[in-house]
Amino acid sequence: MTTARNATAPPPNDTRQRRGDFITHLYRLNRSTSSDNRHAAGEARRTLARLRRCFAGPRQEADAYSTVFDFDPPEAEQHIWLLVAGLFALHPQAQPQDTHGRASIGTAMGLLAQDRGDSVHRRFTQLVSVETASLPHYLRQCVQLLATAATPLDYYRLLDELVDLLLDDPYGRNADRRQRIRLTWARDYHRASRPHPASTEAETEPTTSDTTA
């Protein structure tokens, strides 16, 4: 007899590998839009356009299925993979070179808040406080904000975290993990949104006229 996997247990290696392969494919799609091969570049642009439209409704979402299902996501995760594909298409970017210490969406929003201030803070506060069912809506708004400033976002980490946050959990077994992710986002946001010490010193350093007055 088989038993359900504990919701807090790490995913099997093959599932983690498929997630990584899927996100790598999205990054490669973006890279292909600049290819010298006009056919490949055009096809990549069309695919990203289909992924962007997946938020518009069921018909448009169906057009994006092939991109996701090619990587055989676990059935319970497929709606989350589709969400991340749509988010990536809203804010496509180059594949990160550093595979260690990947920054969370909290870090990305914190960096943006240094320039945008209260409007970003309000949006981020909504993101970490809304009910799970509303999380995709606010994620989309945050990613659109990040796109306006070309602030990078690590989609490998985002997919892993969203699986923990959005995977069906009828018995509440993953509640602690979900709370830890939200708290991590909040901590990362506040760390990243602080003024850089060098900037603060430059602002407060007295001028020559101040010291000679």
Side-chain angles (χ1 to χ4, degrees):
M1 183 178 69
T2 59
T3 57
R5 180 173 64 87
N6 189 312
T8 60
N13 287 337
D14 64 324
T15 298
R16 188 173 293 278
Q17 181 65 47
R18 276 181 282 159
R19 288 184 197 165
D21 290 346
F22 172 61
I23 298 300
T24 297
H25 174 69
L26 295 179
Y27 283 119
R28 286 174 177 165
L29 268 178
N30 181 58
R31 186 174 62 196
S32 294
T33 62
S34 302
S35 172
D36 293 335
N37 183 323
R38 294 178 63 184
H39 175 75
E43 184 57 34
R45 293 190 190 102
R46 287 189 289 272
T47 300
L48 288 172
R50 286 195 295 270
L51 296 178
R52 278 194 298 273
R53 291 195 296 269
C54 74
F55 294 112
R59 173 65 181 84
Q60 292 82 359
E61 181 179 293
D63 289 339
Y65 287 164
S66 61
T67 302
V68 175
F69 293 155
D70 279 350
F71 291 86
D72 193 23
E75 185 174 349
E77 296 183 13
Q78 57 195 19
H79 65 294
I80 305 170
W81 290 36
L82 186 64
L83 169 64
V84 172
L87 294 174
F88 181 88
L90 290 174
H91 183 21
Q93 56 203 253
Q95 186 170 357
Q97 298 301 310
D98 185 5
T99 59
H100 301 286
R102 291 169 173 157
S104 71
I105 192 172
T107 298
M109 290 292 285
L111 293 172
L112 184 60
Q114 289 192 29
D115 295 326
R116 304 280 182 90
D118 288 345
S119 62
V120 174
H121 183 72
R122 286 194 299 270
R123 192 69 69 197
F124 181 76
T125 299
Q126 290 172 327
L127 177 67
V128 294
S129 61
V130 295
E131 296 293 329
T132 300
S134 299
L135 194 62
H137 171 74
Y138 288 98
L139 271 168
R140 180 183 174 186
Q141 293 186 341
C142 287
V143 169
Q144 288 174 315
L145 273 177
L146 293 172
T148 64
T151 304
L153 178 61
D154 191 306
Y155 289 92
Y156 291 106
R157 175 170 178 167
L158 185 63
L159 176 56
D160 283 340
E161 291 178 327
L162 289 184
V163 167
D164 282 330
L165 285 168
L166 298 176
L167 199 66
D168 289 340
D169 185 27
Y171 302 107
R173 294 171 180 167
N174 210 19
D176 288 345
R177 174 64 178 162
R178 290 176 172 179
Q179 181 63 9
R180 283 198 299 272
I181 290 172
R182 289 181 187 246
L183 287 173
T184 296
W185 287 0
R187 181 198 63 202
D188 291 348
Y189 171 84
H190 286 286
R191 285 179 176 174
S193 62
R194 294 172 187 161
H196 192 279
S199 300
T200 304
E201 290 171 7
E203 292 171 2
T204 58
E205 185 178 351
T207 63
T208 303
S209 59
D210 291 333
T211 58
T212 58

